[in-house]
Amino acid sequence: LQVKYKKKYNYTQIKASPDGQKIAYITNERGQYRIWIYDVATKKTKCILKNEYKLDRPDDESFPVLAWHPSGEVLTYIYEKHDVVLIGNYTLSEKKSIEKKMLKIKKVIDLQYSPDGKKIIFSGVNRGNTDLYVYRVIGNNFEQLTRDIWDDMHPNFIDGGSRIIF
């Protein structure tokens, strides 16, 4: 990412849109994180989310997590605010976010859209266990796929979205 800043930030995650025209990234400065979208063509940057306070403490760089919708028009992010996990969708054309609570989930480790954009597979923590969940975008609900003592991490859709690997 060739974006110049006066301050040195800690980049925790960088994701390019499917068409490569936008780059979403997270900066973290002393615990305060921001989600940015950089437009490759115009070289303009926009902050879409700022959360937490600047404090001298160890940074939790596992939050938020990002995923682009296959259309490239929506950036999905999941973050924690006041012990509640929120899923947000920032729409590029409308330049606004819509956020919803994700009940029964304490943390999301990683997520990815299905090729058709109708589902999101994510690795989530509930009751101390990391399991896999499928979030249905249209219905705004999710289903737990695994329930075991092992950490199920970094899921991906394969075979056109018909199978999942992790």
Side-chain angles (χ1 to χ4, degrees), residues 5-128:
Y5 289 101
K6 294 177 183 173
K7 296 181 180 179
K8 184 176 186 230
Y9 288 111
N10 183 17
Y11 298 98
T12 58
Q13 206 176 139
I14 300 172
K15 299 254 178 157
S17 64
D19 63 4
Q21 294 303 304
K22 304 277 194 270
I23 299 171
Y25 61 97
I26 301 166
T27 58
N28 192 321
E29 184 181 4
R30 294 181 20 224
Q32 182 181 71
Y33 59 83
R34 297 174 192 217
I35 300 176
W36 303 86
I37 296 179
Y38 174 74
D39 188 314
V40 174
T42 64
K43 296 184 176 17
K44 291 186 180 179
T45 305
K46 178 178 174 74
C47 179
I48 64 166
L49 177 72
K50 174 179 154 186
N51 198 23
E52 297 295 337
Y53 300 100
K54 291 181 186 176
L55 298 171
D56 288 325
R57 65 175 179 211
D59 297 340
D60 181 3
E61 296 179 0
S62 65
F63 249 57
V65 291
L66 306 173
W68 283 99
H69 187 275
S71 70
E73 283 298 312
V74 177
L75 176 67
T76 298
Y77 54 92
I78 299 177
Y79 72 106
E80 183 180 334
K81 187 172 187 175
H82 306 297
D83 291 333
V84 174
V85 176
L86 299 167
I87 183 168
N89 290 307
Y90 181 82
T91 307
L92 296 174
S93 60
E94 296 176 14
K95 297 182 180 175
K96 68 176 188 175
S97 291
I98 297 173
E99 296 181 350
K100 301 170 187 165
K101 292 180 183 178
M102 293 185 76
L103 303 174
K104 299 181 184 177
I105 299 293
K106 297 298 178 195
K107 189 174 199 78
V108 173
I109 308 298
D110 197 10
L111 70 149
Q112 184 195 29
Y113 270 95
S114 62
D116 63 6
K118 294 181 180 179
K119 296 183 263 184
I120 297 173
I121 181 78
F122 69 91
S123 178
V125 178
N126 184 21
R127 296 184 183 158

